[in-house]
Structure formats: C-alpha cells, structure tokens
Amino acid sequence: MTFVNIDSTASGAQTSVPVTFGQVFAQGDVPQANSLTGKLADGTMIPLQVDVKATHPDGSMRHGIFSAIMPQLLAGQTQKITLVKTDKTAAPASAPAELLNAGFAADVSINLAGQTYGASAAALLAAGKYTSWISGPVANEWIVSAPLMTADGIEHPHLAARFAIRSYAGLNKAKVDVIIENNWAYVAAPQNFTYDVQVNVGGQTAYTKAALTHYHHARWRKTFWWGTAPQVHVRHHTAYLIATKAVPNYDRTFSISPVALTSIRTKFSGAVTEPMRNGLAVQYMPQTGGRPDIGLLPGWAATYLLSMDRDAKIATLGTADLAGSWSTHYRDKNTDRPVSLVDYPYMTILGRSTDTFNPATKKYEAFPACGGVCTNPHNADASHQPGFAYLPYVVTGEHYYLEELQFWAMWNLFQSNPGYRGNVKGLFHATQVRGQAWILRTLAEAAYIMPDSDRFKAQFAKFLSDNLDWYNTTYASNPNPDNSLGAIIDANAIVYDGGRGIAPWQDDFFTAAAGHAAELGFEKAQTLLAWKAKFPVSRMVGPGFCWILGSIYSLHVRDTTSGPIYTSIGQAYQASNPPALTALSCASAEMAANLGLKLGEMVGYSSDNAGFPSNMQPALAYSADSGIADAAKAWTVFMGRSVKPNYYSGPQFAIVPR
C-alpha cells in the first residue's frame, strides 16, 4: 500500500523514539473493518496507534493520525515503516494523570503595560479542562485553552492561550504547542497589543520575545518538548500521496534542484520565522506578479511534496504556522471554534455594518469597531492567497493546521458583503476570477479533509455544493447559455481591454481548482470541469485559434462592453490580435519573428515557471483527464512547444495528466 521513512537527524543513537504523522488514503485501501500496523525492513512488526479522522463514502479510511515508538534509531539511520492491514481492535487511552504525576509543567506569561498575565498547561489539564485530539496506548494529545489571567484572576479581554499537549505513554516525553491568540470575533474594542512573552517548559525558560506586537485577529504558535526531543524527519511516499488524488498529480520525472532547496533554507531563516511574521509568504497578498505563493499548492509546498526534503518541510510547516499572522482569525467565544457563517450569516469584513442585520435574530452581526491600533502589515486577500495549511495538516495531523484551514476557508466566505454572497450560502462568484479559484481550492480541500466528527465537515460540504450549483446553473447546465467558450464571463471577469476582455490565465487558475475539486471526489465539480475544460483546450486546438497565443495575457470575448459574447474561439482570436498577426500561418517562422519569439515558443514568458504557459499547464492537465473531445490532443500540442520552464526550481504549476 504505502510506507513512511523515519530518518534520524541525531549524531548518536536514539532509543524509544516517538513519532506521529498524518496519512491520507485512497478510497477502499483501508476498509472500515481494518486498521493498520507497521512493518520494518527486517520484518519486525511495530504497533501503530491509528486515530481515524476522516472516512470515504464507503467507510474506508481517508485520513488518519499514526503514532509509534521506534525501538532504536542509529545516527543517520533511516527506518522504513510499511503500513500493513490488520484487524481493528479496541485501544485503551490514557488520562493526563500519568503525565502530571511525572512532573509535567508548561506555562506562558506576558508582560503588558507593566501587568503580568499567564496561563498554565498543567493547571488546565489538572482541572480537567481538555478535549482529546488523539487517544490510545501510544500517544494521547489534549487541547486546553484559557484567557491569559493575572495572579488575581483578572482575565485579559482579548488575549488567550491554547496548548496542545501530546504525551507518549511511559516515556516521560510530551510535545507542547503554545498558541497565543488575539482572535475573539465579538469582544468589544479589538486591537493590537505589544508585550514581552516568556514560555517555560519543565521549569526552564524555553522561549522569550520582547516587545512583540500581536496583531488583532491573529495568532502565533511555538512548539517545544518536555523531556528529550526526538530527532527525526518523517518522509512520506510521494507517489502514493499523489495516487490518492488528495494532492495534484505533480510531475515526478524531474528532480528538485539543490539550489532551490538551498534557497528555501536560506529564505526561511532569521526574523521571518518569528511570531507575527510571514515565513515564505508575501506579506501584502494583493501584490501582483508571479511568485511561489500562487498555485494549488505554493511553490515551497510543492517542492517539499516532490522532494520530501527536511528543510523544505520545515519551511512548509513553518510558513503554515505563520499563517496565523494575518488578521483573518475570528473565534466565536460561544463555541470556542472559528466563527461559522451558519451561526452568523450576515457577518462581513467588507460590507457596511448596516448590511449585517439578521432578520431571524433581530441583531446586527457586524464585528466590533477597532478599539485602538489595528494596522497589520500582513494584508490578506483571496486573489493571491497561498494554500497554507492543507498539506501540512495532511502529513502531520496537527490540530493547529486543521484550525488554520478552517479559519482561512471561513474567512474567504464571510469577508464579502452578505448580499453579494447569498448570505449563509457563502457564494463567492462576485470577486476576481483568480480569487474564485483559490477560494474554491481551499473550500474543496476543507470539505474533503475535515474530520467526520467536526461540525464544519457538513458546513463546508454545503458551502461547496451551493457554490458548485451556482456555477453549474449559470454555466455548465444552463439550457440557454450565452457563453459557449467555457470561460468565466461576468462583471468581475471582463475587466480588460475596456470591458471587452478577460484574463485567460486567471480563468486557467479556476479550471485547475475545479479539476482539483473533481479529483477530491465532488461530483458537481466534475460537471463544472467538463464545461470549463473547453476553454483551455480550444486555445490550443480550437478552430481558428493559434496555440502560440493560447497563453495570451488578455483575450477579447465581445466587441463592445454591452455586446454579446463571441460564439467561437476563432472570433476571440481575431478580435484579440492585430490582422497582420492573425494573417500569418500558425506557429510559423514568420509568426515567431512577428512576436519576437523562438520558433514553437508560446507567448507570455514561456521559460518562466510562473509564466502564463505555466499557469495554463494545470488547467490543460485536468482538462486532459476530464475526457472531453480534443483534450488529449491539446495536451500533446502544449507539451510540444519548444520553450519550457525548468520546474525543478519551482514546481507549483508542474501538474500533468494522470
């Protein structure tokens, strides 16, 4: 089926080494009646604790969290654990008493304007104020939270601590996540706070930071170990991860450049890795231009997926940690969960407060006004938003990444004006096409990977279904279509060339997102993909269109701002290019000379791994898999172009047909 490699990163031998990782499975690979155990290369069987989080429609395991104790790892040794099906058995769990009796201690304190506030993980565990995330005979993880409080019991109105404590039975070891939040959605006077912070683990200072400015509706995370930390790097089986279709079909025929890995290691270092910083992501998301942030996976995550490199993994997980720095985190104090559009269907970031009146509750759902300084150099938007947390959650099962995925997926839906999004439906068509693409990507991933027991599972599935219904009703299944091109054509799309043109590369992002959602198993996305695939395919092999211009920056789709949409791709080609160009034979030497290109080179920075032909590649790959007419031919033509990028330095668009 699949395996993971456990690499020792220690200079000496380690014994009784705890490891925990997440793993996703194709439907049917682990039937409901089965569990999994581990088999080492020498035939030794190693018990695995399996916490099943999500299942497929047939009941088989989709995603689980696996914990094991490696008997021994020598310096620099790699141990391969093959996952083997076994019968499912009941596994007893442990309570925090064993950990507490062993002397576990972890706490955080801040000094804010001369006043000290703090929280103790041990005290919260001892009070029984925890929820279990994983439980069994090998590892138990408990999540606790509380407002930061003074010694006199005065709670800070905005700042709260959260701890995730993962204890390994009999080892006197525990992984401790310390998360500080400034996230409450409906507490008056939200604002930034500047404080000194200290984290203690086992009675020793583990971390300090002076004058940390904590932005409103943001959070930060640091991870520590009580007891000796295991020194391991877990490498997943890339081919199997891709085969499950949980991640796109990235091209595995090339090797990631060592220069690219060195660049990631260099960039993810120093100040950018500290709380309230941005890691590898661009702080100001609305910044235009190609960059590693953009894609179904960001460039650093795709690099990690294909290489399983330790430094690329550190950067990918670390940047997902720092996704908390943006002011997109709104937690509901009533539920202690990210706010839900189901609970507050009229909340908004961009709308006016008067737009938020809920006729059912007779209350306004506007968020409270800023009570001080609320500037944040991290500016979020949907149109340039990286996929921060999905892959990190898939491969680790970390609860923090699950919540990051929930925070961002929900923010994408509620940020807009309630009237434009159908209120509780969370429709997102009224934004830039590239924004629609990345919202669809994140929402589909959230609906796919949410734990079965999480109330957001059904909510995200409904939001996704409602949005796919809108697209299919408007486009794919429309019995009287006024658009046969297969492109998204609306007021937010036709914003080029004086209201006559669209950006094919943005549309390609959307086609790729629809293809990704279809591969995740959402049938309505398959309907949408079959319609969307027409547009990239016709730009490669459609009648009257030359594929050299298939990656054009903007494409006319009508004669005037109020005129009808063209009925053929050939019309769009003629309208979008000068007659002197369209008169030339397609892909001829004369056409190349006219465009200043090499023979067989496509327009739009064909050698750049983030150029417009690269943007087009995932759309064509998913189109080829859709099975529509001429899709395979279009892919063949595309791959026959003479100038291609070197994806080994940035593979976020290196997606190929299955």
Side-chain angles (χ1 to χ4, degrees), residues 329-370:
H329 300 73
Y330 288 73
R331 190 181 292 278
D332 185 354
K333 210 165 190 177
N334 294 327
T335 63
D336 200 38
R337 301 293 308 282
V339 291
S340 170
L341 202 57
V342 171
D343 299 327
Y344 304 98
Y346 293 87
M347 61 181 171
T348 180
I349 301 295
L350 302 178
R352 299 170 299 179
S353 60
T354 53
D355 297 327
T356 68
F357 181 73
N358 186 330
T361 63
K362 309 300 181 184
K363 295 180 180 179
Y364 288 93
E365 294 176 352
F367 298 119
C370 176

Side-chain angles (χ1 to χ4, degrees), residues 256-267 303 312 647-651:
I256 297 295
S257 165
V259 174
L261 297 174
T262 299
S263 176
I264 286 176
R265 180 172 60 251
T266 301
K267 289 178 180 178
T303 297
Y647 281 131
Y648 57 70
S649 62

Side-chain angles (χ1 to χ4, degrees), residues 192 215-218 324-330 349 374 376 378 380 411:
N192 300 346
Y215 305 119
H216 73 99
H217 298 104
S325 303
W326 279 262
S327 295
T328 54
H329 300 73
Y330 288 73
I349 301 295
C374 287
N376 186 342
H378 307 285
W411 183 85

Side-chain angles (χ1 to χ4, degrees), residues 309-330:
D309 177 76
R310 178 172 178 260
D311 291 323
K313 183 176 186 178
I314 289 170
T316 298
L317 302 188
T319 300
D321 289 345
L322 294 164
S325 303
W326 279 262
S327 295
T328 54
H329 300 73
Y330 288 73

Side-chain angles (χ1 to χ4, degrees), residues 485-647:
L485 298 178
I488 299 297
I489 304 292
D490 58 27
N492 298 290
I494 313 180
V495 295
Y496 292 80
D497 306 316
R500 294 177 295 153
I502 65 171
W505 47 279
Q506 289 196 34
D507 198 272
D508 289 338
F509 292 158
F510 186 89
T511 302
H516 183 39
E519 280 204 335
L520 292 177
F522 299 105
E523 292 185 6
K524 293 178 181 180
Q526 295 171 5
T527 301
L528 178 60
L529 174 63
W531 182 82
K532 281 298 297 100
K534 293 187 296 183
F535 189 49
V537 167
S538 66
R539 282 154 42 216
M540 296 305 297
V541 296
F545 200 103
C546 179
W547 62 271
I548 294 292
L549 281 300
S551 49
I552 193 171
Y553 176 76
S554 63
L555 186 74
H556 289 193
V557 294
R558 61 187 179 189
D559 287 331
T560 66
T561 57
S562 58
I565 303 300
Y566 295 142
T567 57
S568 74
I569 197 67
Q571 288 177 285
Y573 178 71
Q574 293 293 329
S576 303
N577 298 289
L581 178 61
T582 59
L584 300 174
S585 296
C586 180
S588 64
E590 293 79 11
M591 176 173 281
N594 181 285
L595 293 168
L597 303 174
K598 295 180 180 179
L599 186 65
E601 180 182 1
M602 294 181 72
V603 299
Y605 314 102
S606 194
S607 63
D608 193 319
N609 61 18
F612 299 132
S614 299
N615 297 163
M616 190 180 191
Q617 180 165 329
L620 280 170
Y622 282 114
S623 297
D625 287 335
S626 74
I628 72 162
D630 293 329
K633 179 182 177 183
W635 179 258
T636 299
V637 173
F638 180 74
M639 292 307 292
R641 68 200 190 281
S642 63
V643 178
K644 302 175 186 177
N646 291 320
Y647 281 131

